């Protein structure tokens, strides 16, 4: 857990990404897959990162821990600030000391993330021994406490289980226990519940929420808008490698400022009522080597106008919100009822 | 009208057990009952959704219904013919009546085959159609699923996930089926693409009277397509009925807890749902 002096949620950001640009080597040459991404994670808050496949949300998350598959993917410019440290420039050795200690990550598929050859206790203990220098016995005791903290029943028994003996939900809890073992400031969770059943998903998301009580900041990366609506505080929407909209989640959902956000919200199938015809966003996301110079959503946007052919920046809209739409001020987009 | 429609698929008392452990003599000593006494009916032009969590037996049920797996008990009747009583060659001839669309369009299409061959294969097998006639028929099918004749000679890797799923649907349609079994057919797609494919399925059903057995864990998607819903839990059907009834007044605690766990985008609808489901039924189920 974080040290006591740090538990008060303050307004200082836990992590800031500024102007991040990441390129990828493709058959069409080196192209940008993430461009001009800005986001801020605050202590005790869950920030949702939304977007469809190919939007750059996963690459952004991986870049924070410098887990990009180099040299195919490469950070070209921008800063990733953890306090005074720029993670994008930090020497490898220093970075390794931070991973799992101050910034951690949880992935989608728990079974492929856990080493099947070791018990749960060993896996969690490894983190504690490496970063905090605990001995075997202390690490095991702490592992039991952590298993209890992430809601695993009979932790004294489970600590000796192998990953295959646990259900998917339990495995994900173990992974979270490993990630939070050293009380990191920031947790990046990339689609942590996508492989899980809905009832288990709800439990895992409640667990993430309870972990922020100690001041940890969470970046929740997911394509599931329902999950984001229910479980995050702030929302960042990405499209084709760029952030197109940010703000407090309820405000964004009630009155989206970007036509892409509005289109996504309309396309989500609700359990509440059957509609005559589902709203769709026509077309598909353009591939990175065929992006237009202006707004990247222009070819699919129902509100496209000549002004949209010009490059557009992410601009501050007040109320903690920002947007990347040349016509935002004149559009009145429909959200979901409050 | 709807009640008078003929039953195209009838499953009666389907049961399937898998052996999970054998003794030294090779005798089964431990068995897992994956599906137990599952019965349902699907009528022409209608959609029945089979919903449930992983391990509930919905995919095993799909495999039993499509005769990819033999049941230990129970029967499957397709358009009046009892499939479970058919021999191999007779079953082969009948298979065109019921086609499948699978979850992962990256795995379900042969990467070495051009679209014209993938979609044209059922035409060749069932009708002996080949050459220019086949090309013409495949082009028609591609247009029905929102693709076009210029895609005929392309390979799967040239298509996006949504387009691949359209190709899989065109292949299913090529056999001229009465029933399409869609096993998590839109689960791998992004929401905007997912909505396009769902609309396509609804259009096809309206135009040609296809019946769908729609297997999904996504209750929001099911709400948009299903006329009837059957909820599975631990291999059994716990509740089934018209979709509106299941969603608006579920009777079983399990159905309620399942509905309560679905994340909802709209805060007002979340409140409606909270009214529907009492606290007691949302209790923790340890995963």
């Amino acid at each position: 857990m974080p040290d006591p002096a740090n538990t008060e949620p303050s307004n200082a950001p836990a992590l800031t990404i500024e102007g991040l640009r990441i390129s990828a080597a493709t058959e069409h040459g080196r192209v940008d897959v993430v461009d001009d991404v800005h986001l801020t994670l605050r202590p005790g808050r869950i920030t949702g990162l939304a977007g469809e496949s190919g939007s750059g949300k996963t690459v952004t998350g991986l870049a924070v821990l410098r887990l990009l598959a180099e040299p195919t993917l490469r950070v070209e410019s921008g800063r990733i600030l953890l306090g005074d440290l720029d993670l994008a420039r930090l020497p490898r050795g220093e970075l390794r000391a931070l991973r799992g200690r101050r910034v951690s990550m949880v992935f989608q598929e728990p079974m492929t993330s856990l080493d099947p050859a070791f018990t749960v206790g060993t896996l969690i203990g490894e983190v504690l021994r490496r970063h905090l220098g605990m001995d075997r016995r202390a690490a095991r005791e702490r592992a039991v406490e952590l298993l209890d903290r992430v809601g695993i029943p009979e932790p004294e028994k489970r600590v000796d289980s192998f990953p295959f003996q646990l259900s998917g939900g339990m495995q994900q809890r173990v992974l979270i226990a490993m990630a939070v073992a050293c009380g990191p400031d920031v947790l990046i969770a990339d689609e942590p519940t996508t492989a899980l059943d809905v009832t288990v998903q709800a439990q895992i998301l409640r667990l993430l929420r309870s972990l922020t009580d100690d001041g940890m900041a969470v970046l929740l990366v997911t394509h599931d808008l329902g999950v984001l609506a229910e479980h995050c505080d702030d929302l960042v929407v990405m499209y084709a490698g760029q952030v197109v909209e940010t703000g407090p989640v309820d405000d964004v959902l009630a009155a989206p400022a970007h036509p892409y956000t509005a289109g996504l919200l309309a396309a989500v199938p609700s359990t509440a009522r059957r509609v005559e015809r589902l709203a769709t966003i026509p077309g598909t996301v353009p591939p990175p080597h065929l992006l237009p110079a202006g707004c990247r959503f222009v070819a699919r946007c129902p509100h496209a106008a000549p002004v949209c052919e010009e490059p557009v920046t992410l601009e501050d809209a007040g109320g903690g919100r920002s947007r990347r739409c040349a016509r935002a001020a004149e559009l009145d987009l429909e959200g979901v009822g409050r | 009208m709807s009640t008078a429609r003929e039953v195209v698929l009838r499953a009666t008392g389907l049961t399937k057990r898998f052996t999970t452990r054998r003794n030294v003599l090779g005798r089964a000593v431990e068995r897992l009952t994956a599906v137990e006494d599952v019965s349902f009916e699907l009528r022409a032009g209608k959609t029945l959704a089979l919903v449930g969590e992983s391990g509930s037996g919905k995919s095993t049920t799909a495999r039993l219904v499509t005769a990819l797996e033999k049941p230990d008990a129970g029967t499957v009747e397709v358009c009046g013919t009892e499939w479970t009583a058919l021999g191999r060659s007779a079953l082969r001839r009948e298979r065109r009546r019921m086609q499948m669309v699978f979850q992962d369009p990256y795995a379900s299409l042969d990467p070495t085959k051009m679209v014209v061959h993938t979609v044209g294969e059922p035409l060749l097998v069932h009708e002996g159609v080949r050459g220019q006639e086949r090309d013409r028929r495949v082009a028609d099918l591609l247009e029905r699923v929102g693709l076009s004749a210029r895609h005929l000679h392309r390979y799967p890797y040239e298509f996006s996930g949504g387009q691949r799923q359209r190709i899989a649907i065109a292949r299913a349609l090529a056999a001229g089926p009465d029933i399409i079994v869609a096993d998590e057919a839109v689960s791998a797609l992004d929401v905007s693409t997912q909505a396009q494919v769902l609309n396509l399925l609804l259009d096809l059903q309206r135009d040609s009277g296809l019946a769908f057995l729609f297997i999904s864990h996504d209750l929001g998607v099911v709400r948009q397509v299903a006329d009837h819903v059957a909820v599975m839990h631990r291999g059994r059907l716990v509740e089934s009925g018209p979709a509106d009834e299941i969603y608006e007044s579920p009777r079983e605690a399990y159905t309620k807890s399942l509905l309560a766990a679905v994340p909802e985008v709209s805060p007002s609808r979340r409140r409606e749902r909270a009214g529907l489901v009492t606290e007691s039924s949302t209790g923790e189920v340890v995963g």
Side-chain angles (χ1 to χ4, degrees):
Chain A
M1 301 292 114
D3 59 85
N6 221 356
T7 48
E8 275 299 295
S10 67
N11 232 2
L15 185 98
T16 314
I17 298 180
E18 291 173 355
L20 184 66
R21 187 161 70 85
I22 300 169
S23 69
T26 70
E27 56 189 302
H28 308 284
R30 207 157 250 291
V31 293
D32 289 342
V33 289
V34 164
D35 178 40
D36 194 29
V37 163
H38 297 260
L39 63 87
T40 304
L41 306 185
R42 295 189 186 282
R45 290 178 78 84
I46 299 181
T47 302
L49 184 54
E52 298 185 279
S53 3
S55 62
K57 59 189 191 305
T58 292
V59 171
T60 301
L62 289 172
V64 174
L65 278 149
R66 282 245 298 275
L67 293 173
L68 298 174
E70 291 174 14
T72 308
L73 290 166
R74 187 167 75 201
V75 173
E76 295 288 340
S77 58
R79 301 198 298 172
I80 302 169
L81 297 172
L82 180 72
D84 301 333
L85 298 171
D86 183 355
L87 299 181
R89 306 256 164 328
L90 213 59
R92 292 239 158 243
E94 288 179 45
L95 189 73
R96 203 168 294 137
L98 286 182
R99 284 185 191 143
R101 186 173 158 84
R102 293 194 58 199
V103 186
S104 288
M105 188 148 185
V106 176
F107 300 92
Q108 174 170 351
E109 302 237 334
M111 195 58 217
T112 55
S113 306
L114 292 170
D115 191 326
F118 297 98
T119 65
V120 163
T122 313
L123 291 169
I124 301 174
E126 167 91 12
V127 182
L128 297 164
R129 292 172 63 199
R130 184 173 184 97
H131 284 302
L132 306 181
M134 284 189 182
D135 60 38
R136 217 171 266 277
R137 193 197 191 96
R140 186 189 156 88
E141 276 171 27
R142 185 78 185 103
V144 172
E145 287 171 29
L146 282 161
L147 289 177
D148 187 46
R149 177 71 189 86
V150 297
I152 289 185
E154 300 186 283
E156 311 80 15
K157 273 193 195 162
R158 288 297 183 194
V159 75
D160 295 318
S161 300
F162 285 92
F164 76 89
Q165 296 170 309
L166 304 174
S167 67
M170 285 297 163
Q171 289 172 358
Q172 198 58 284
R173 287 174 198 264
V174 170
L175 213 56
I176 292 171
M178 287 169 71
V180 302
C182 301
D185 303 317
V186 176
L187 177 68
I188 315 276
D190 188 1
E191 304 273 5
T193 60
T194 305
L196 305 176
D197 285 323
V198 280
T199 50
V200 182
Q201 165 171 280
Q203 297 163 22
I204 296 290
L205 291 165
R206 281 200 292 272
L207 168 63
L208 282 183
R209 168 60 71 189
S210 78
L211 292 169
T212 63
D213 293 347
D214 302 316
M216 187 173 74
V218 176
L219 181 67
L220 179 60
V221 182
T222 176
H223 68 284
D224 190 326
L225 288 168
V227 164
L228 293 171
E230 291 201 14
H231 298 280
C232 72
D233 304 299
D234 302 301
L235 187 60
V236 176
V237 183
M238 284 187 74
Y239 181 78
Q242 290 180 326
V243 172
V244 294
E245 173 159 15
T246 70
V249 67
D250 290 341
D251 297 348
V252 173
L253 296 180
H258 197 285
Y260 175 64
T261 315
L264 269 189
L265 289 173
V268 178
S270 165
T271 56
R273 51 192 57 97
R274 182 171 182 166
V275 296
E276 243 340 275
R277 196 160 186 80
L278 283 164
T280 63
I281 301 176
T284 50
V285 183
H289 66 285
L290 293 177
L291 292 170
C295 170
R296 295 180 174 182
F297 188 58
V298 66
R300 307 176 72 188
C301 183
H303 308 286
V307 63
C308 305
E309 308 291 335
E310 303 295 319
V312 54
T313 54
L314 189 68
E315 62 175 31
D316 191 351
R321 301 186 60 175
S322 65
R323 70 218 175 180
R324 190 190 294 271
C325 176
R327 299 194 62 203
E330 40 176 328
L331 294 178
D332 188 14
L333 301 169
E334 195 175 338
V336 292
R338 275 199 193 249
Chain B
M1 176 76 185
S2 64
T3 51
R5 285 180 191 256
E6 78 175 298
V7 174
V8 288
L9 173 64
R10 179 179 284 124
T12 315
L14 285 179
T15 299
K16 181 70 185 177
R17 293 186 197 91
F18 293 106
T19 301
T20 50
R21 186 184 289 178
R22 293 176 187 278
N23 66 10
V24 284
L25 303 175
R27 290 215 183 92
V29 289
E30 249 183 51
R31 286 164 160 234
L32 174 88
T33 304
V35 171
E36 190 163 17
D37 195 21
V38 166
S39 304
F40 55 80
E41 278 181 2
L42 172 61
R43 289 175 188 274
K46 294 287 173 187
T47 298
L48 169 69
L50 221 47
V51 305
E53 298 188 288
S54 40
S56 63
K58 56 188 194 303
S59 286
T60 303
T61 303
R63 294 180 65 80
L64 293 174
V65 162
T66 48
L68 295 174
E69 202 91 63
K70 261 181 148 16
D72 292 312
T75 58
V76 174
E77 212 179 285
V78 179
C79 302
T81 308
E82 197 184 316
W83 275 26
T84 32
L86 291 179
R88 280 171 71 104
S89 61
L91 185 59
R92 249 184 113 83
R93 281 193 301 278
E94 286 294 313
R95 278 196 184 278
R96 63 179 306 181
R97 291 184 171 276
M98 181 155 57
Q99 294 288 306
M100 285 193 88
V101 176
F102 297 95
Q103 173 167 5
D104 185 355
Y106 290 85
S108 62
L109 299 177
D110 185 337
T112 67
K113 276 189 182 162
M114 284 190 289
V115 169
V116 66
H117 294 123
T118 296
V119 177
E121 193 175 27
L123 295 173
L124 177 68
V125 171
H126 295 295
E127 298 179 44
V129 174
R130 56 184 82 220
Q132 286 190 339
E133 165 71 359
R134 180 205 50 200
D135 289 5
R136 196 185 54 72
R137 294 269 299 270
V138 172
D140 285 350
L141 286 163
L142 291 180
E143 260 159 46
R144 277 181 76 190
V145 300
L147 297 170
S148 77
R150 69 193 161 85
H151 295 120
L152 275 178
H153 300 285
R154 298 214 186 150
Y155 289 92
Y157 77 88
E158 298 175 75
F159 295 91
S160 67
Q163 288 175 319
R164 285 176 202 221
Q165 211 56 317
R166 289 174 192 269
I167 295 169
I169 293 167
R171 178 183 158 100
L173 292 175
D178 296 291
I179 307 161
I180 287 184
V181 178
D183 190 356
E184 301 281 8
V186 298
S187 305
L189 306 177
D190 281 318
V191 275
S192 68
T193 322
Q194 185 180 64
Q196 292 171 11
V197 174
L198 289 173
N199 283 338
L200 168 66
L201 292 176
L202 292 169
D203 289 345
L204 290 171
Q205 183 166 60
R206 197 190 50 224
D207 298 344
S208 56
L210 274 171
F212 287 113
L213 180 61
F214 196 91
I215 292 147
S216 179
H217 72 284
D218 188 326
L219 291 163
V221 166
V222 165
R223 177 62 156 158
Q224 303 309 320
V225 297
D227 301 299
H228 284 79
V229 176
V231 184
M232 290 194 73
H233 183 45
R234 294 181 182 160
R236 290 175 167 274
L237 278 189
V238 292
E239 183 166 7
S240 65
D244 287 347
E245 272 177 36
I246 299 284
Y247 278 90
E248 280 156 30
S249 44
R251 289 191 309 271
E252 296 295 322
Y254 178 72
T255 313
K256 290 178 187 173
S257 67
L258 203 57
L259 281 170
V262 180
E264 177 62 68
V265 176
S266 151
S268 58
R269 286 185 193 159
R270 225 175 290 157
R271 283 192 298 274
E272 283 174 32
R273 185 191 63 195
L276 176 76
V277 184
T278 54
E279 265 309 304
S280 62
S281 61
T282 64
E284 295 271 304
V285 190
V286 172

